[in-house]
Amino acid sequence: MKSNATIEQERQNYGYITDEKETATATHAFIETGLSSHRSMKSGSQRFRWNLAFNLLVWLIVPLPLWIPFVSNRVAYYLLASIQGVFVFMWTIIAILALKNALILYMNRSRNFIDDYSGYEKIPIRHIVAISCYKEPVDLIARSIQTLAEQTEVHRITMVISFEERTPDKEKKCEFLQEKFQNCAFERIIFTIHPYGLPNEIPGKCSNANFGLRKAVKDMAITQNEMDNVLVTTCDADSRFPPQYIAALTSKYLKENRPALTTIYQSPLFYNWKLDSLSFVTRVTGLLRSFLMLGALIPFNINTMSIFSFSLSLAQKGDFIHPGYQMDDIICLIRWMGVTQQRLRISMIPVPVLSGPTSGETIEKEIIEWARQARRWTIGAAEVFHYFVVKSRRMPIVAACSWGIAFLIYYGVLLCTGGLFGLTTMLSMIFLVKNVPLIISYIMYGLFALQMLTFSIAFIIDMFIPKLLHVDECICFPRNLFHFITTPFVLFAYSLVELYALHEVVIVSKKIRKHGHICKMLS
């Protein structure tokens, strides 16, 4: 454990404010933000937690089919069919947009993006790629970095590899990676060790990436005038980039006239890293995550996920990455909407990126890990929503309301209540609702068929997009059909985990948010 004096010195070295009475100017001129990046975390009033909106939605929508027949049988079969129609309509829109964006990826499979910006030589775009590491095997980290070393524009990249102070054998890992990649064409490689025990931090990707990015900016001596021309990509240790990623990102940024403070860039993520060897639960979830990113998260500007890119000027204006939360993708979006006073646009980079799914040594451990991840994402989304509502007072009302409603509908209605409402509606129609008109029965059957058709789009996309990433999978037709049939059941199980997690937040909310508990969740 480092002494307080050592920790204090490291905080000063990378622009952290060490005294609440100090002015809000960082100690390094190049990363001055006008905000204290390391002040005490304040999430607003603790008397009311805005994440209760998720619980309220669940208890308003899910039990409705079980009591509405006792109020009016006629109202029941019309109302339940109508609500189910709304759910299926949302899935249909998502399926159409997902298919459209998947076709864009496919049509750009052979495109030379460097040619797109050959006339922009006077605007030299540089890139920082930050990879956050903890206990991942060094071979896995090296495999991810290798895909960046193979970029067509590798000379534009400064590679930032960030370890935690508590990472086992971190010095040996740094030496191995330095030796392996020192002769690659990276502009430079920077290693950072994130100190353990910094005040007001939660160990995880947010604090790690925040520390690493600040150190990189300091080492690179980037001036204020250069920040619009520096793009940052943050990623995990199990990421695999296509060779054209940096070129595609550069092309998109320049073609959109460098929207440094209005846009975040997201490449669609596909979780086909040995996905064919995993259980149907993990595979179906992985396919749906890609499907939802293509059809909902990107088109409706809801949030980025895991691997995303942004201008350094946006990061600087938004005081980099909040070190007191875990979900860096959503936290960055909310924080930066506040400082830019507008709803940020998410622009799709037209190349796919491969990311690792949840996994385990056995099917049982794999499913346990799947449930743990679903629980963590739900708790994170609920806490992030509370953070957003508190911070929304600083945002324009239209931008705040439009994003907040979209976020609540996606996470609270579509993902959490949709599967549960489908079950209670089915039970109600079978056992409680009497004398259902034949036309209503046909409508319900038709809605179910349309719902399954939307799920089939995820499997169709999986047939051709992973091939662009040179992923060889062995999925026979009977197994693929079985996975498709189980999709509603996987979504229902996911909804149950979310239901549990949302009530866990309410019942033991303080314990959930405690530093040690979150560390345990992430270990």
Side-chain angles (χ1 to χ4, degrees), residues 168-466:
D169 302 320
K170 57 184 177 294
E171 293 83 5
K172 292 182 179 179
K173 291 180 178 180
C174 289
E175 290 174 4
F176 172 82
L177 295 172
Q178 175 66 37
E179 182 178 351
K180 183 176 179 64
F181 296 106
Q182 62 183 347
N183 294 323
C184 293
F186 288 125
E187 181 179 340
R188 70 174 71 189
I189 301 178
I190 298 173
F191 292 90
T192 68
I193 306 297
H194 175 225
Y196 175 75
L198 293 178
N200 303 318
E201 282 197 355
I202 291 176
K205 185 180 177 182
C206 277
S207 54
N208 186 303
N210 178 66
F211 184 86
L213 185 55
R214 288 175 181 275
K215 184 178 187 302
V217 173
K218 179 180 177 181
D219 289 355
M220 295 170 67
I222 299 172
T223 64
Q224 192 74 31
N225 293 334
E226 295 176 302
M227 287 193 172
D228 279 2
N229 295 333
V230 180
L231 294 176
V232 180
T233 298
T234 177
C235 62
D236 299 324
D238 57 350
S239 310
R240 192 178 296 180
F241 294 87
Q244 289 266 50
Y245 178 87
I246 293 298
L249 172 58
T250 304
S251 170
K252 192 82 170 178
Y253 186 66
L254 290 173
K255 280 198 162 188
E256 293 180 349
N257 198 24
R258 298 186 301 157
L261 298 180
T262 62
T263 305
I264 300 177
Y265 292 89
Q266 175 74 65
S267 181
L269 304 182
F270 289 83
Y271 302 90
N272 295 76
W273 196 316
K274 298 182 180 179
L275 192 60
D276 58 336
S277 65
L278 302 178
S279 70
F280 74 92
V281 175
T282 303
R283 182 165 183 262
V284 169
T285 303
L287 299 189
L288 289 179
R289 287 180 68 191
S290 301
F291 172 72
L292 289 167
M293 174 173 282
L294 286 166
L297 294 181
I298 295 176
F300 293 102
N301 304 307
I302 298 175
N303 63 262
T304 54
M305 283 192 72
S306 182
I307 302 167
F308 58 101
S309 303
F310 47 90
S311 72
L312 186 57
S313 55
L314 179 60
Q316 182 257 0
K317 188 176 180 67
D319 205 19
F320 294 88
I321 301 170
H322 200 310
Y325 283 83
Q326 290 298 341
M327 303 180 74
D328 63 317
D329 34 32
I330 307 180
I331 281 294
C332 284
L333 183 73
I334 295 171
R335 202 178 192 193
W336 297 345
M337 281 196 298
V339 298
T340 59
Q341 290 293 290
Q342 61 186 312
R343 186 172 178 182
L344 296 178
R345 185 173 70 94
I346 299 175
S347 182
M348 187 181 83
I349 306 170
V351 291
V353 170
L354 191 63
S355 185
T358 58
S359 60
E361 297 174 359
T362 64
I363 292 179
E364 291 80 3
K365 289 183 179 180
E366 181 185 317
I367 294 177
I368 290 172
E369 175 64 17
W370 170 86
R372 190 175 73 90
Q373 290 279 21
R375 169 180 170 269
R376 181 171 70 89
W377 291 330
T378 304
I379 291 173
E383 286 298 297
V384 159
F385 185 74
H386 174 79
Y387 176 86
F388 159 74
V389 174
V390 173
K391 299 299 180 184
S392 64
R393 301 163 192 169
R394 305 177 185 177
M395 304 176 193
I397 187 168
V398 174
C401 288
S402 64
W403 187 86
I405 291 171
F407 186 87
L408 199 59
I409 289 174
Y410 178 76
Y411 285 101
V413 177
L414 187 69
L415 293 187
C416 188
T417 66
L420 298 173
F421 179 81
L423 176 67
T424 54
T425 295
M426 182 184 70
L427 295 175
S428 179
M429 285 293 199
I430 294 174
F431 298 109
L432 300 179
V433 181
K434 309 297 181 183
N435 303 316
V436 179
L438 195 59
I439 185 66
I440 296 296
S441 298
Y442 286 151
I443 288 173
M444 294 299 287
Y445 290 136
L447 289 175
F448 177 74
L450 183 56
Q451 173 86 81
M452 294 302 293
L453 180 63
T454 63
F455 292 155
S456 72
I457 300 298
F459 287 81
I460 293 171
I461 292 173
D462 183 64
M463 291 172 62
F464 62 94
I465 293 299

Side-chain angles (χ1 to χ4, degrees), residues 75-142:
V75 169
Y77 55 69
Y78 280 121
L79 181 62
L80 297 184
S82 299
I83 295 176
Q84 189 64 25
V86 171
F87 278 111
V88 175
F89 175 75
M90 287 192 288
W91 280 105
T92 303
I93 296 299
I94 290 170
I96 293 171
L97 294 174
L99 189 58
K100 172 200 164 197
N101 283 330
L103 289 174
I104 291 173
L105 295 179
Y106 189 76
M107 288 187 294
N108 282 280
R109 66 191 183 281
S110 302
R111 180 175 167 187
N112 187 353
F113 291 95
I114 296 177
D115 293 341
D116 294 346
Y117 53 90
S118 57
Y120 292 89
E121 291 86 355
K122 295 182 180 179
I123 308 176
I125 302 299
R126 301 160 67 192
H127 293 263
I128 298 173
V129 180
I131 181 168
S132 300
C133 312
Y134 183 30
K135 292 183 178 180
E136 297 86 356
V138 70
D139 290 341
L140 177 67
I141 300 170

